[in-house]
Amino acid sequence: MREYNIVITGVGGQGVLTASNILGWAALRAGHKVRLGEVHGMSQRFGSVISYVRFGEDVYGAMVPEGKADVLMSFEPVEALRYINYLKKGGMVVVNTSPIPPVQVSMGKATYPSIEEIKKVVEEDFKAKWIGFNAEKLALEAGHVVTTNTVLIGALTQVPEFPLGEDHVREVIRISVPPKAVDMNMKAFDLGIKAAKEILGL
């Protein structure tokens, strides 16, 4: 494999950087050359966060060029729109549809777009495919909202032609989370897989 690029977005505290580390280690264990990059922004204040995961023989820099991401995985719907320019034509967006309205919306100075409006921009304006579902709800079903990132990673493994096998990712999750949280994260991972399969009709 020459190159595979993933852009992960969200807001501070959602587990964006943890997700990128898990995917990076999984790619490394699968035998790929890996590069990670991140921009924390105001992550401690629920500000925008973006992380890059790149692996393959032709990967040298840490940051994904605009228009080159195979997948955009977003923990928050509007953050998917904020960074949609990184996605290549015909790429895939995997998104948690549970919103975190920014301060401007809470103050009544801006309007938060509907999920339907966001999906329309992704599919029609950027010709991208969409896997969108409430990952936070499934995380709570698994045991805790903190597993939202694991739910989304599970969904990501079902993206057509995704180059990392489920087993590589599972192995890294098992050794990355506290022992008492392993079963909860495995359940979250499986729920994400199930949700993506239902959306994709697999």
Side-chain angles (χ1 to χ4, degrees), residues 22-103:
I22 288 172
L23 291 169
W25 277 108
L28 197 64
R29 283 175 172 266
H32 299 294
K33 182 173 68 176
V34 180
R35 296 288 182 270
L36 301 182
E38 59 198 42
V39 178
H40 292 262
M42 296 178 66
S43 59
Q44 299 302 315
R45 300 184 181 180
F46 297 97
S48 182
V49 181
I50 180 170
S51 183
Y52 312 94
V53 181
R54 313 187 70 200
F55 50 94
E57 290 302 314
D58 292 341
V59 171
Y60 300 98
M63 297 181 68
V64 176
E66 290 191 14
K68 294 293 185 179
D70 295 277
V71 179
L72 172 64
M73 185 169 79
S74 184
F75 287 56
E76 204 282 334
V78 162
E79 293 301 315
L81 282 186
R82 190 190 305 275
Y83 297 107
I84 191 69
N85 56 306
Y86 281 94
L87 193 68
K88 72 178 186 182
K89 185 177 180 180
M92 178 71 78
V93 174
V94 179
V95 59
N96 169 34
T97 56
S98 178
I100 300 178
V103 174

Side-chain angles (χ1 to χ4, degrees), residues 61 66 101 109 187 201:
E66 290 191 14
K109 295 183 177 180
K187 182 176 181 180

Side-chain angles (χ1 to χ4, degrees), residues 46 48 75 81 112 119 128 134 141 151 171 197:
F46 297 97
S48 182
F75 287 56
L81 282 186
Y112 195 99
K119 183 180 179 182
N134 191 330
E141 184 179 332
V151 172
E171 182 181 4
K197 283 184 173 181

Side-chain angles (χ1 to χ4, degrees), residues 105-182:
V105 173
S106 301
M107 295 175 63
K109 295 183 177 180
T111 301
Y112 195 99
S114 68
I115 298 300
E116 290 73 21
E117 290 172 321
I118 295 172
K119 183 180 179 182
K120 183 177 179 181
V121 170
V122 169
E123 292 183 332
E124 296 185 9
D125 295 353
F126 288 87
K127 310 303 179 186
K129 302 175 183 67
W130 169 276
I131 297 177
F133 61 98
N134 191 330
E136 285 190 10
K137 181 179 179 181
L138 295 183
L140 289 170
E141 184 179 332
H144 200 287
V145 70
V146 74
T147 63
T148 299
N149 54 6
T150 313
V151 172
L152 287 172
I153 291 172
L156 175 64
T157 65
Q158 302 308 301
V159 168
E161 300 181 2
F162 185 70
L164 301 180
E166 291 178 23
D167 290 344
H168 283 118
V169 182
R170 285 183 192 277
E171 182 181 4
V172 174
I173 293 172
R174 286 185 184 279
I175 64 176
S176 298
V177 304
K180 64 181 181 180
V182 169

